[in-house]
Amino acid sequence: MQVFREIKPLRAYLDAKRAEQATIGLVPTMGALHEGHLSLVKGSVDDNDITVTSIFVNPVQFNNPGDLAHYPRTLDEDLAMLQRYKGQVVFHPSANEVYKQEPMITLGFGPLGKTLEGQFRPGHFHGVGMVVAKLFNIVKPHRAYFGQKDLQQFAVIRRLVEDFSFDVELKCMPIIREPDGLALSSRNKRLDPDERQKAAKLYEALGIAHDLYRRRVSPDQVKKEVEGFFSMSDVTLEYFEIVNASSLNPLQSTFANEPVALCIAAYVGEVRLIDNLIIGNEY
Ligand code: PAF
């Protein structure tokens, strides 16, 4: 396994591999790896000769300094996990290596960046778009792998690729869950045992909403039911929305013939978690 901390030698290494016709998959991560990340790595290893896993806690995408400070960092464990996969290249740069200067460009993403997460995390998608664009330019992957858990992030990156004509195929990989339904996330590491138990409420709420939706209960009424479910618990709902899974526009009726996503964000103690469920057509 090759580990690079600088852009120049990574580029030289990948240029040489590309000249040998090797295909390159990119798995962007912020580390604290879990089975969800590893499913992206496995997907890339199956499809490509080389997989570049980037491990970089991107300061530009954090609007909350406390969240950035507490974001779990587990490099040694991460490297040990990646060691198991063939063709692994790890890119673990410093913040100065990635951001030689503060970016002058601001990425907006219009309505796609303002809804759901965008309402509560100003500047977040600018930061995600910025670092992903940099990674695409540094690694020049044939394919890049992202998790469905960050559904809005995937939608935003799809627009980034379209708007900047990046020559990369995007893959959205399914959510990996714990037996009680909790979606795997690096932030789960911050939950104490009591909070960990309560965190399953997000998935429970998605299940209730899915059931109501199937019974043609109106989106407004489903929202009210979910809000009621959380008002009786000590998990604090930030939002629950029923949206078109691609445009992320709110759904007006349960009779819509379009891929639908149920999206949720909630605080369990200090830890903010998100989850979603796609209904009907695969994303
Ligand atoms: O999903 C994440 O972990 C991050 O947002 C990403 C895509 C690695 C960019 O920092």
Side-chain angles (χ1 to χ4, degrees), residues 116-117 120-121 202 206 226 230 235-241 262-268 271-276:
L116 303 173
E117 292 295 285
F120 298 95
R121 305 184 69 187
L202 275 83
L206 288 176
V226 170
F230 282 103
V235 172
T236 311
L237 180 68
E238 191 160 64
Y239 66 75
F240 168 79
E241 296 291 345
L262 310 178
C263 299
I264 193 166
Y267 277 92
V268 186
V271 184
R272 185 177 185 278
L273 299 175
I274 60 170
D275 200 351
N276 67 78

Side-chain angles (χ1 to χ4, degrees), residues 28-30 56 58 61 128 131-132 146 150 153 157:
T29 83
M30 297 203 294
F56 178 60
N58 174 32
Q61 73 186 72
V128 169
V131 80
V132 170
F146 298 88
D150 295 296
Q153 169 170 282
I157 292 168

Side-chain angles (χ1 to χ4, degrees), residues 109-147:
F109 302 102
L112 202 52
K114 290 200 180 80
T115 181
L116 303 173
E117 292 295 285
Q119 300 169 75
F120 298 95
R121 305 184 69 187
H124 171 65
F125 290 117
H126 155 71
V128 169
M130 192 56 78
V131 80
V132 170
K134 280 175 177 278
L135 289 168
F136 285 167
N137 278 326
I138 294 165
V139 175
K140 300 189 192 78
H142 296 85
R143 302 182 185 87
Y145 298 76
F146 298 88

Side-chain angles (χ1 to χ4, degrees), residues 48-60:
N48 304 285
D49 300 310
I50 293 174
T51 293
V52 180
T53 299
S54 60
I55 298 179
F56 178 60
V57 182
N58 174 32
V60 180

Side-chain angles (χ1 to χ4, degrees), residues 231-247:
S231 69
M232 291 181 297
S233 94
D234 37 15
V235 172
T236 311
L237 180 68
E238 191 160 64
Y239 66 75
F240 168 79
E241 296 291 345
I242 306 180
V243 298
N244 174 295
S246 297
S247 68

